Amino acid sequence: MLPSLAPWNAAFTSAVASELETEPFIPFSFSNVGEHGIPHTRTCVFRGFLFNDTKTNVLLFTCDKRSAKFKDLIKNSNFEACFYFHKSRKQFRFSGAVRVITNERHPIIDLSNLSTISSSKEKSGESEIKFNDTDLVVEQEHDFYSIGLDKVGIDEPLMYKIVSPSQTQNMNVSTLSLCELNTTIHAPTEEEWKAERQRCWNDLSRSLKRSFKRPLPGSLLTSEKYRLLDSINRGVDGTSSGQENFVVVCMFVKAVDLVELTGGVDKRYLYKKSYDIDVWKEYEVCP
Ligand SMILES: Cc1cc2nc3c(=O)[nH]c(=O)nc-3n(C[C@H](O)[C@H](O)[C@H](O)COP(=O)(O)O)c2cc1C
């Protein structure tokens, strides 16, 4: 089967769309831990879905390769990202692992389990399961994080159903699924990752592109650096494009905590992706 929307995705995409009717961009808080286990949070801007395809369920933002967050994420790729949408009064708290697309790295997608196990689960209609066990403390339930806790490095292969965009496009024009066609699904190629980084770069405004040429983020501001910043701002610095510092951060979501403020009894849903297959569980829990 082709990748499909995770059960949280339609509500999220719709909240994004209504927010963008009046706001220029979608900010969110992105958190990860540094090497001493200390949490760090900062505002980032949501840049849409991987391969511009909501069905990947992978959320994007961009950062500078020289930033503290990038250096920390290389060692520990676990993240939490929190969005609040004023108009729809919904909070989405995503957690999972990031992977990055840089000039020398891209995510390593392991489809070996997915192409076999998930297709049999999907055939039996288990791609989204609802639970309502009354006494279950869902947040403590075993999930993705119980397994592979030592494999937090950013170059670890990830079991996530990300199919080569060219294969997805071919399938979109066909009415048959990959299973029915008896086709093996394959992960994006190196060229496709490269093209995705270029697509995200092309989407940036001129001033944002220039920000990647700035002196080392967080370094002391000297008068020399001040002059350089000024000439970068005016576009007369004559240095490289800055693209070598450009990173696309891909948030591979493994769990979502959605809170809906209703004005009455608030609603709260937890969504959890299974460790190695493309199956989501959905729980309605006490707010
Ligand atoms: C509205 C707003 C949007 C921002 N968007 C981003 C972003 O998309 N990516 C990013 O790396 N930093 C962004 N920043 C800057 C970060 O909040 C942060 O200051 C910077 O990335 C350094 O963080 P670090 O030292 O933890 O890496 C944004 C800041 C603001 C105020």
Side-chain angles (χ1 to χ4, degrees):
M1 289 282 276
L2 276 177
S4 53
L5 287 187
W8 49 267
N9 193 318
F12 176 73
T13 309
S14 140
V16 166
S18 59
E19 207 75 6
L20 284 176
E21 283 168 9
T22 51
E23 301 302 321
F25 57 84
I26 305 286
F28 67 97
S29 299
F30 178 81
S31 305
N32 66 313
V33 288
E35 62 178 328
H36 303 297
I38 295 168
H40 299 287
T41 301
R42 76 290 281 163
T43 309
C44 289
V45 172
F46 174 55
R47 300 270 166 204
F49 285 86
L50 182 63
F51 297 125
N52 203 18
D53 180 357
T54 46
K55 287 185 188 153
T56 60
N57 302 308
V58 176
L59 316 173
L60 304 182
F61 72 97
T62 63
C63 80
D64 194 305
K65 206 195 239 182
R66 303 164 300 163
S67 63
K69 79 178 85 49
F70 180 78
K71 287 174 189 144
D72 288 338
L73 286 167
I74 294 291
K75 293 185 185 143
N76 186 338
S77 63
N78 287 331
F79 79 92
E80 196 160 273
C82 191
F83 294 70
Y84 178 65
F85 298 101
H86 291 273
K87 279 195 192 154
S88 48
R89 305 181 76 199
K90 286 179 182 162
Q91 173 186 269
F92 289 82
R93 203 147 56 109
F94 297 101
S95 53
V98 304
R99 293 293 180 266
V100 291
I101 320 176
T102 70
N103 46 359
E104 64 243 329
R105 278 190 161 92
H106 64 70
I108 309 296
I109 303 296
D110 178 357
L111 289 173
S112 53
N113 268 10
L114 291 170
S115 53
T116 49
I117 302 174
S118 65
S119 57
S120 62
K121 288 264 180 191
E122 283 166 356
K123 271 179 198 159
S124 66
E126 284 185 54
S127 61
E128 180 189 331
I129 308 165
K130 286 198 181 194
F131 285 78
N132 55 2
D133 317 33
T134 46
D135 290 331
L136 185 68
V137 181
V138 177
E139 286 159 311
Q140 291 165 14
E141 207 211 1
H142 279 248
D143 64 6
F144 218 104
Y145 294 104
S146 338
I147 310 164
L149 269 179
D150 52 331
K151 294 184 178 168
V152 294
I154 209 149
D155 294 319
E156 288 289 335
L158 210 57
M159 289 189 202
Y160 215 95
K161 199 181 216 174
I162 303 298
V163 177
S164 156
S166 64
Q167 197 173 20
T168 317
Q169 275 156 23
N170 287 343
M171 278 308 302
N172 283 341
V173 294
S174 164
T175 50
L176 296 170
S177 74
L178 287 172
C179 285
E180 286 162 321
L181 284 174
N182 211 10
T183 312
T184 313
I185 57 172
H186 51 84
T189 63
E190 197 144 344
E191 283 312 304
E192 286 172 326
W193 288 116
K194 218 169 144 183
E196 177 62 356
R197 180 165 172 263
Q198 190 63 43
R199 180 187 72 82
C200 295
W201 174 258
N202 295 345
D203 276 355
L204 296 187
S205 66
R206 250 164 83 180
S207 64
L208 250 169
K209 282 181 182 149
R210 280 185 199 145
S211 72
F212 291 90
K213 299 204 266 186
R214 289 178 190 158
L216 186 67
S219 66
L220 213 57
L221 183 60
T222 60
S223 51
E224 196 186 335
K225 285 180 193 163
Y226 186 84
R227 279 196 297 277
L228 179 57
L229 281 170
D230 183 52
S231 59
I232 291 169
N233 255 4
R234 289 184 290 118
V236 294
D237 56 297
T239 56
S240 70
S241 72
Q243 202 174 347
E244 65 280 7
N245 296 323
F246 177 62
V247 179
V248 179
V249 184
C250 311
M251 293 184 274
F252 287 82
V253 179
K254 299 169 184 175
V256 186
D257 183 342
L258 164 60
V259 174
E260 292 181 10
L261 304 179
T262 62
V265 179
D266 297 335
K267 298 223 157 234
R268 187 171 173 203
Y269 303 91
L270 298 183
Y271 303 91
K272 293 187 172 214
K273 186 185 177 298
S274 65
Y275 168 63
D276 56 351
I277 54 173
D278 202 44
V279 175
W280 285 87
K281 288 181 185 177
E282 176 183 350
Y283 309 84
E284 181 164 7
V285 297
C286 299

